[in-house]
Amino acid sequence: MTPLLSLSVAMFMGLLLTRLGNKLKLPDVTAYLVAGVLVGPYFLGALNIPGVGFCNFDQLDNLKVISNVALGFIAFSMGTEFKISKLKETGKTDTFIGIFQAVFTTLVVDIALVIFHFIAPNVISVSAAITLGAIAAATAPATTLMVVRQYKAKGEVTKLLLPIVAIDDAVGLILFAVSFGIAKAIHGGVIDVNTIAFNPLIEIFASLALGALAGLLLTFIEKFFHSNTNRLIMSISFILLTVALSMIKLEGKVSLGFSPLLVCMMLGSVFCNTCPLSDEIMERADKWSLPILELFFVVSGAELKLNVFTQITAVLLGVFYVLSRSLGKYIGARISTKTMKCEPNVVKYLGITLLPQEGVALGMTVTASQLPNEGSLIRNIVLFAVLIYELTAPLMTKWALTKAGEIKPMSPEVANRREQKLIVAANNKSNK
């Protein structure tokens, strides 16, 4: 009961902070994250008052299912970006930019951190450097999607951004699997072909196959339901089922695992291409998922470990990581968009919208913890970066989309209509 009470307090606080955020022209994502930090173990949680905040991180671990479900809904929504009709327009462009900027970012961070290693070999090893380089490729789809939805962004940058973020995470997973395999080989002195080559490929193909099968099954079952309510329940049930199945992992000489993001992305992609009513069903599922997304960001904010700022090594490497990753994303996007002859606004602003980083990167650090003596350092550096990105990237994404002309300010007419409605409502209340 206590964690749920704390969660409800955090959600309500997040809603209140969005009002203040609107005055300051801040995205709702930032308000939710700040609300999570306030009810976390470092602020209200430190008072140890039941229900007021999360007293420790063990309470937050019990809420991991919320994060998994939220990422499932996000990935399902992003699957629509792979609709064949859309891919015919920008498919080659999306794919090239998504792959190029992810690989470019990994190389930039790899080079920067390896140079840091030669300057201070006792601080970071080559194994940790190339592992962090692979983690740098991942972008946060949740932050991007929330900003786009809140401000109803539309235009060339937005049209390219969503599928690129989806491709970006798929490429990031591959890069991480290969880089981490090489890092373990360097650390242990033994090259494991299964870890470097087979396991990443098996995970990718298994995830795509499971997602495709679930998408076809969802399309088949949809025919037996006719009311909007039943179709909504059906789609939500399938997302939850797919998330649950994707968390199964079988260990062996060649391990079999799934990427929840890839599985749910494939589910959405197959469903939107095979079901005639997919647009309507997915739109309803998106609306239902908004409270889940708020929960996700509140929990993410509470999970931020602020004590990372007390560790000088993590802060120094974190700053180095953030700067090199940001440079890699921006320059990589700029080069690839110029190569594909995109519009000037896309070339100028797309890279800035690719900076957010959160859940996927933190998930990679769980695997990276297997690296002896280096796992905790990697996690602390990524935690520092996530904290910085989560509090600044939503603002930068909003700024870039506004500068690109894809977030339109509220027109005076709409503002006046809203003000008049509030005045009428207040008068009616006073008359009663």
Side-chain angles (χ1 to χ4, degrees), residues 20-99:
L20 176 62
N22 285 344
K23 297 288 185 183
L24 300 174
K25 298 183 178 180
L26 299 176
D28 288 350
V29 175
T30 304
Y32 299 149
L33 288 166
V34 171
V37 171
L38 291 176
V39 299
Y42 295 101
F43 288 93
L44 293 178
L47 301 175
N48 287 318
I49 301 174
V52 174
F54 298 103
C55 301
N56 53 63
F57 289 101
D58 290 336
Q59 290 182 342
L60 291 165
D61 287 338
N62 296 328
L63 300 173
K64 284 289 185 184
V65 65
I66 293 174
S67 298
N68 292 329
V69 170
L71 287 174
F73 275 98
I74 291 164
F76 179 71
S77 296
M78 298 190 78
T80 61
E81 302 303 321
F82 295 97
K83 200 166 187 176
I84 292 174
S85 58
K86 290 185 179 180
L87 290 176
K88 287 180 179 178
E89 294 179 23
T90 59
K92 290 181 181 178
T93 304
D94 295 341
T95 304
F96 178 79
I97 297 172
I99 295 173

Side-chain angles (χ1 to χ4, degrees), residues 105 108-109 112-113 319-329 389:
T105 301
V108 169
V109 176
L113 293 180
V319 170
F320 211 66
Y321 172 85
V322 168
L323 291 176
S324 57
R325 179 182 179 271
S326 301
L327 191 66
K329 284 287 180 185
Y389 280 127

